[in-house]
């Protein structure tokens, strides 16, 4: 991550998972204010977690592997094209 930005991999209870275990990729630190003109989506994806502060729930599933994040899928059925 960039300086001032953080990344965690969390389980469904929003606790960090051990290395090698799959969870949702979550970003913290310097974040955007939210989605433009989409207050419901902003409230769903940008949340306050007691242990981590304000975070962005990416919906991407991944795990730490050899110091890198391996992306393994999505927490929902959203697909991404070119980005």
């Amino acid at each position: 991550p960039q300086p001032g930005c953080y990344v965690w991999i969390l389980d469904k209870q929003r606790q960090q998972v051990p290395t090698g275990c799959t969870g949702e990729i979550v970003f913290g630190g310097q974040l955007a204010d939210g989605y433009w003109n989409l207050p419901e989506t902003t409230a769903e994806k940008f949340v306050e977690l007691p242990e981590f502060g304000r975070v962005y729930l990416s919906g991407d599933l991944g795990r730490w592997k050899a110091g890198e994040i391996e992306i393994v899928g999505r927490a929902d059925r959203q697909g991404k094209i070119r980005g």
Side-chain angles (χ1 to χ4, degrees), residues 38-59:
L38 296 172
E40 294 88 14
T41 304
T42 296
E44 177 185 328
K45 294 299 213 170
F46 290 84
V47 300
E48 189 76 26
L49 298 178
E51 187 174 343
F52 305 103
R54 185 168 178 268
V55 299
Y56 172 70
L57 306 173
S58 72

Side-chain angles (χ1 to χ4, degrees), residues 5-6 13-14 19 21 26-27 29-31 34 36 39 44-46 53-54 59-61 69 71 73-74 76 81:
C5 296
Y6 307 94
Q13 290 74 42
R14 305 291 187 234
T19 299
C21 293
V26 175
F27 297 93
Q30 297 177 359
L31 299 172
W36 179 260
E44 177 185 328
K45 294 299 213 170
F46 290 84
R54 185 168 178 268
D60 294 315
L61 298 175
I69 296 175
I71 308 293
R74 291 281 306 166
D76 55 24
I81 300 173

